[in-house]
Amino acid sequence: EAGVAQSPRYKIIEKRQSVAFWCNPISGHATLYWYQQILGQGPKLLIQFQNNGVVDDSQLPKDRFSAERLKGVDSTLKIQPAKLEDSAVYLCASSRDRFNEKLFFGSGTQLSVL
Amino acid sequence: ILNVEQSPQSLHVQEGDSTNFTCSFPSSNFYALHWYRWETAKSPEALFVMTLNGDEKKKGRISATLNTKEGYSYLYIKGSQPEDSATYLCAPHGGYQKVTFGTGTKLQVIP
C-alpha cells in the first residue's frame, strides 16, 4: 500500500513569513496526526483528526498555527507568521483508528526559520 | 499529557553486543504502548504495539516487554548491528488520550 505522502521535504523561510505543509494519509486511515519534532526532543503532538473532526489540538499554538482536514482525507498545516522557534521537523502520521493501532509516518518537512 | 521518560538518552555499543533501553510511564489509565525506530533521514517506523501486562513481542533480533502495573517497558536488541543505529522512541497512550512520545534513546552501533 502507498505510504503517507508529505510535502515539501524542506522549507527555508524568514521569520514573520507564512508556510504551509501538506499531507495525504494512507487510504482508509481515519486518524491523522501532525507532530512537531524539535532537535533533541521527542515528537510533540500538535493536532489529531478523527476523519474530518479535531480530537485534540491542546498543544497547537492557535495564534499562529492552523490545520484542516477537508473531507476527512488530505490535511494542511499552516504557520502564520513563523517564529525562529518554529524551526523543526513536522511529521504527519496516520492510523486506521485512534486506539491501539500503530502510526504510519510520512517523510517529514524540515522547516528552517531564519 | 503523559509524562514519558526514556533512558539512556544515548549510547554507543560495539557491533555484536546486546543492549536494552527503558521506557517509563504512568501506570494509571494505561491503554497501549508503542515502540518506534527512527533512522536518520527516514520516517519513524513502528516496531511494536503492546497492550497487555506481561506481554512480550519479538521482531528478529529486537524484542520488548511490558509491565503496566509498574509502568515500564524494556526494548532489547540482541547482537547489535550497524543498521540498528537509530533513535528508538516509545509512546504510551491511555485510550482517548493522545499518543505521547518520549525523547528517545539514540543508539550508535560501532562496527
Side-chain angles (χ1 to χ4, degrees):
Chain A
E1 60 184 353
V4 177
Q6 266 191 267
S7 66
R9 191 71 190 269
Y10 304 94
K11 191 73 178 179
I12 300 174
I13 61 173
E14 295 187 349
K15 61 182 180 183
R16 291 188 289 271
Q17 285 188 323
S18 302
V19 65
F21 314 125
W22 173 81
C23 174
N24 182 246
I26 292 173
S27 177
H29 280 197
T31 312
L32 186 145
Y33 314 77
W34 282 102
Y35 283 90
Q36 178 194 58
Q37 197 260 338
I38 293 172
L39 195 63
Q41 301 178 18
K44 181 179 85 171
L45 181 69
L46 293 176
I47 189 166
Q48 179 178 332
F49 293 95
Q50 183 73 11
N51 297 307
N52 60 349
V54 176
V55 172
D56 191 313
D57 63 357
S58 57
Q59 298 190 100
L60 185 74
K62 298 180 185 65
D63 57 334
R64 298 184 300 106
F65 286 63
S66 64
E68 61 181 6
R69 188 181 185 195
L70 297 175
K71 300 179 183 178
V73 182
D74 291 10
S75 178
T76 55
L77 176 69
K78 296 179 182 177
I79 308 175
Q80 180 179 15
K83 292 185 176 182
L84 297 176
E85 58 261 37
D86 298 331
S87 295
V89 174
Y90 291 84
L91 291 163
C92 177
S94 70
S95 63
R96 288 192 300 178
D97 204 337
R98 60 175 159 157
F99 297 112
N100 62 338
E101 297 281 351
K102 61 183 177 182
L103 276 61
F104 293 82
F105 284 86
S107 54
T109 297
Q110 174 74 61
L111 174 67
S112 296
V113 183
L114 306 178
Chain B
I1 299 175
L2 293 176
N3 185 24
V4 185
E5 294 185 3
Q6 288 190 250
S7 62
Q9 280 192 323
S10 66
L11 77 161
H12 294 76
V13 301
Q14 291 292 135
E15 182 176 352
D17 286 352
S18 294
T19 187
N20 64 85
F21 332 128
T22 304
C23 172
S24 300
F25 53 88
S27 56
S28 59
N29 199 31
F30 173 86
Y31 191 84
L33 182 108
H34 301 220
W35 278 102
Y36 291 84
R37 175 171 57 199
W38 194 358
E39 296 177 66
T40 302
K42 293 187 178 180
S43 311
E45 176 191 3
L47 290 172
F48 308 113
V49 178
M50 308 173 79
T51 57
L52 300 175
N53 184 46
D55 205 3
E56 182 171 343
K57 298 216 171 185
K58 189 174 181 181
K59 185 177 182 180
R61 293 177 292 99
I62 303 176
S63 61
T65 60
L66 177 65
N67 184 321
T68 62
K69 294 187 187 305
E70 295 181 38
Y72 65 84
S73 176
Y74 293 138
L75 188 80
Y76 301 90
I77 301 179
K78 185 178 178 182
S80 302
Q81 299 297 307
E83 58 264 31
D84 296 329
S85 296
T87 296
Y88 291 83
L89 296 162
C90 75
H93 76 96
Y96 285 92
Q97 295 180 14
K98 58 175 67 72
V99 178
T100 302
F101 283 87
T103 54
T105 292
K106 187 171 183 179
L107 172 67
Q108 185 73 36
V109 181
I110 304 164

